[in-house]
Amino acid sequence: MGAIRKTLGTALAVVGGGAAYLTATTNLKTPLPADDELRTTKSFKRFNRYRNPELQDYCWKTLPLSQVRPELRDDEEALAIEFCRGAWAGYAYTPQRILMKLANKGPKTENQLFDRDQLASSKYELGTRFSDHFEVVERTKNSIMVRAGGSPLEPGPRELDGLIVISAKVNKEIGTVEVGLKTTFFNSDEPIRDERKPAPFVAELLHRFYARAMVDSGARRLTR
């Protein structure tokens, strides 16, 4: 429950005045299809080895390529990295980033990223750790997968584990780019036999608005 509790305050702040705007300008799908490519990844198979019930969704935004910065338009990898920078260094993550810096920055985490400027310039290579809560565990040419739910210094199973996939997909035929944030949370510590999800519905609902805000925040960086 740690990750959900830590994001509730942030989610509440986002939901208030911006809920209508975020709902109108972003898209959200839940649950994920049974054959979603996330479930074929090494990390999903490793961490959700019990195939426990998930809290899952995919939030995305579609932008006209004509509005995207010219140096990014033909490079999905660059788009994914820049979108990732905007998500973690932008307005949506700011309250949580500040709280986690105050709580977690110290000698044991000196090699992690905590400051906005660090998050805004990182290449999010494999092994990148930030806020003592996230770690990049997989990369493709157009996506970055981050493990969440606990400190990277404690890499074992968790009562609430999670994977976040940040991606960018260009469709040159119609001249758009889809940027998205796909999330799954689950218990990686023990088998769950009663189909109980890892968080209550209210937390799931708030997470959806938080995800929308992260996508909006990330997308803004692509057009500046």
Side-chain angles (χ1 to χ4, degrees), residues 101-112 114 129 132 153:
K101 179 180 178 180
L102 291 172
N104 299 331
K105 190 173 183 180
K108 292 183 179 180
T109 57
E110 61 182 2
N111 294 323
Q112 297 191 30
F114 285 92
R129 296 175 172 182
D132 198 33
L153 300 178

Side-chain angles (χ1 to χ4, degrees), residues 178-193:
E178 178 181 303
V179 290
L181 190 149
K182 187 179 295 183
T183 304
T184 176
F185 284 105
F186 47 84
N187 184 324
S188 64
D189 188 45
E190 60 183 352
I192 302 298
R193 302 306 184 194

